[in-house]
Amino acid sequence: MEPSGAGRKEKPKPREPAARLEKAKQKSAQQELKQRQRAEIYALNRVMTELEQQQFDSFCKQMQTSGE
Amino acid sequence: PFFVNRGGLPVDEPTWERMWRHVGRIHPEGERVAQRIRGAADLPKIPIPSVPAFQPSTSIPERLEAIQRYIRELQYNHTGTQFFEIKKSRPLTGLMDLAKEMTKEALPIKCLEAVILGIYLTNNMTTLDRFPISFKTHFSGNYFRHIVLGVNFGGRYGALGISRREELMYKAPVFRTLSELIFDFEKAYHRCWHTLKKVKLGHCVSHDPHSVEQIEWKHSILDLDKLTREDFRKELERHARDMRLKIGKGTGPPSPTKDRKKDVSSPQRGQASPHRRNSRGDRRPSGEKKPADSKAMPDLNGYQIRV
């Protein structure tokens, strides 16, 4: 007696290409979001780096003044 | 406060919003900073730096310079939010995966991330030893922590890393002893009004990027308040010797001192300390309060020189 299902071809799942397409779209959206965030992070980092440098320079000047 | 992005990349919404809220609180222009940047159409495009690749003939010192330039190009992270989560107890292989991600995502980093990156980028330099060096310093009533990646090439010591301060990161491998390297860092700290309090030295890190070993971050812990200058130097050299022994023999024995991982309060732990005369000039007698800073720090709205 043949086991059930033997010799029968499996029907292709029609959802697979759609699922793959969806996954590709999500990946692309994620990549775009990462690129956008990266641009904003570096723009922010520039502003915060300038702030830190200004504060450090002012502090150094004050230290020199108080030293004199 | 010190924020860490624990959700990977892209940054999730709660973490993203927290980053901007923090910036709004600490920047004099407040929320205008966020308003100018978020959603702006004309932000500059920042190219992703290329990971350095070398000809076989490139010397180790040249490679270290190139690696440091690469790390510098990522920039020090001043945003207030660390983008890569580093768990120091992770096996090396996991940390190397994270380092690879850092090179792919190319975002600003802080000192610990730079150490992990430095290890990753020097793994193929088998003649270069790498070991973490952690600093604890004091400035204006607060303590600060910093870490760099010590390197030893042909008996010459140097460092890779990143810091807000130029003098507290890269050191070319020109120092003849580990003490000279550490003293150089100490002088650099002094120039920005920080007092060095503790140094923690790790052991050499494996060059195998798939190793499941953990990084040993604090093989030696040196408390400068409890050591004379000479003892501090001796302990540094002891650590250097331990590293050489371990490398030479594979798993050689450390120098004969008990409880190496505990703070060094005297150099002769577990043995009778020799009675010293006139050697405690550098130490504060017990029970004495910490002296006030010899120079009163000007108050710049509570500005702290962070490193």
Side-chain angles (χ1 to χ4, degrees), chain B residues 12 45 50 78 95 124 154 272 280 282 288:
Chain B
D12 59 45
K45 194 167 171 168
S50 305
H78 282 101
L95 293 172
N124 59 358
R280 291 182 176 242
D282 294 346
E288 191 181 70

Side-chain angles (χ1 to χ4, degrees), chain B residues 17-306:
Chain B
E17 293 303 322
R18 183 183 64 185
M19 180 182 81
W20 288 109
R21 273 199 308 275
H22 170 71
V23 167
R25 279 195 298 266
I26 65 172
H27 196 281
E29 291 183 52
E31 288 179 14
R32 281 199 299 252
V33 173
Q35 284 164 8
R36 276 204 303 266
I37 294 172
R38 297 183 76 173
D42 57 347
L43 292 179
K45 194 167 171 168
I46 309 291
I48 293 187
S50 305
V51 173
F54 306 110
Q55 297 293 324
S57 57
T58 310
S59 70
I60 295 292
E62 284 173 322
R63 294 182 192 212
L64 291 175
E65 276 183 30
I67 288 169
Q68 184 62 49
R69 277 197 297 274
Y70 172 81
I71 290 173
R72 203 190 292 266
E73 205 174 330
L74 294 174
Q75 295 181 21
Y76 187 88
N77 182 354
H78 282 101
T79 66
T81 297
Q82 182 175 308
F83 298 111
F84 301 99
E85 184 185 12
I86 309 247
K87 289 179 182 166
K88 288 167 92 172
S89 57
R90 274 184 86 177
L92 196 56
T93 181
L95 293 172
M96 293 302 99
D97 287 342
L98 185 60
K100 192 173 178 182
E101 192 190 346
M102 281 189 229
T103 63
K104 257 185 51 192
E105 302 295 342
L107 291 171
I109 56 175
K110 296 173 75 172
C111 55
L112 183 56
E113 293 152 294
V115 166
I116 302 303
L117 197 50
I119 292 169
Y120 174 73
L121 295 171
T122 54
N123 273 336
N124 59 358
M125 301 175 200
T126 51
T127 55
L128 179 79
D129 298 325
R130 303 90 36 92
F131 56 100
I133 307 174
S134 307
F135 302 98
K136 180 181 176 183
T137 58
H138 179 263
F139 169 78
S140 190
N142 290 309
Y143 290 98
F144 297 85
R145 285 163 179 83
H146 179 46
I147 188 168
V148 297
L149 183 67
V151 296
N152 177 6
F153 173 63
R156 298 291 170 123
Y157 292 86
L160 290 172
I162 202 166
S163 169
R164 291 175 178 85
R165 309 274 88 88
E166 190 65 37
E167 291 184 284
L168 293 171
M169 38 196 274
Y170 175 69
K171 303 284 179 189
V174 299
F175 295 90
R176 279 179 277 198
T177 63
L178 179 57
S179 322
E180 277 184 31
L181 173 69
I182 301 300
F183 291 156
D184 187 84
F185 273 103
E186 187 181 30
K187 281 185 218 148
Y189 269 116
H190 191 70
R191 283 192 284 273
C192 53
W193 300 284
H194 276 236
T195 306
L196 186 58
K197 290 297 190 184
K198 260 190 195 174
V199 176
K200 295 180 191 175
L201 299 155
H203 231 303
C204 290
V205 180
S206 166
H207 288 80
D208 177 7
H210 305 296
S211 169
V212 296
E213 282 178 19
Q214 290 178 336
I215 294 176
E216 196 181 353
W217 299 95
K218 20 186 194 181
H219 180 80
S220 301
I221 301 173
L222 309 181
D223 187 335
L224 274 75
D225 282 347
K226 296 173 181 170
L227 288 168
T228 64
R229 194 79 186 150
E230 183 55 22
D231 290 339
F232 180 43
R233 192 195 62 77
K234 278 183 186 165
E235 287 298 316
L236 289 170
E237 292 314 310
R238 190 194 300 272
H239 183 89
R241 215 160 37 244
D242 282 355
M243 287 198 293
R244 281 196 300 272
L245 281 171
K246 190 171 180 185
I247 293 155
K249 295 183 181 180
T251 50
S255 302
T257 305
K258 246 168 77 170
D259 297 332
R260 286 214 54 79
K261 289 189 181 180
K262 291 190 181 168
D263 281 9
V264 177
S265 54
S266 98
Q268 303 282 340
R269 290 182 312 287
Q271 304 172 28
S273 299
H275 180 71
R276 284 192 203 83
R277 290 188 308 163
N278 301 322
S279 62
R280 291 182 176 242
D282 294 346
R283 294 198 216 179
R284 282 194 296 284
S286 59
E288 191 181 70
K289 274 192 206 170
K290 279 187 185 164
D293 290 334
S294 54
K295 274 185 189 170
M297 295 290 160
D299 182 18
L300 194 72
N301 293 326
Y303 174 68
Q304 296 282 302
I305 295 188
R306 290 165 298 169

Side-chain angles (χ1 to χ4, degrees), chain A residues 34 36-38 42 45 62, chain B residues 11 46 74 78 105-106:
Chain A
K34 275 205 261 186
R36 175 71 207 176
Q37 285 186 344
R38 186 169 179 269
Y42 272 102
N45 206 46
Q62 287 196 23
Chain B
V11 180
I46 309 291
L74 294 174
H78 282 101
E105 302 295 342

Side-chain angles (χ1 to χ4, degrees), chain A:
Chain A
M1 189 164 137
E2 284 179 301
S4 58
R8 257 190 277 159
K9 276 186 193 174
E10 287 208 15
K11 284 183 187 169
K13 294 176 190 170
R15 287 170 56 209
E16 264 190 11
R20 248 187 268 141
L21 194 61
E22 184 57 36
K23 208 172 175 183
K25 270 187 188 168
Q26 279 177 9
K27 198 172 175 187
S28 174
Q30 231 193 23
Q31 202 51 36
E32 271 181 42
L33 177 58
K34 275 205 261 186
Q35 282 174 7
R36 175 71 207 176
Q37 285 186 344
R38 186 169 179 269
E40 291 190 9
I41 284 167
Y42 272 102
L44 171 60
N45 206 46
R46 186 179 169 174
V47 169
M48 301 305 284
T49 303
E50 283 169 6
L51 174 67
E52 160 69 23
Q53 195 57 48
Q54 279 165 18
Q55 290 181 334
F56 181 68
D57 290 344
S58 295
F59 185 88
C60 291
K61 278 188 188 137
Q62 287 196 23
M63 286 298 290
Q64 281 171 358
T65 311
S66 61
E68 287 159 13

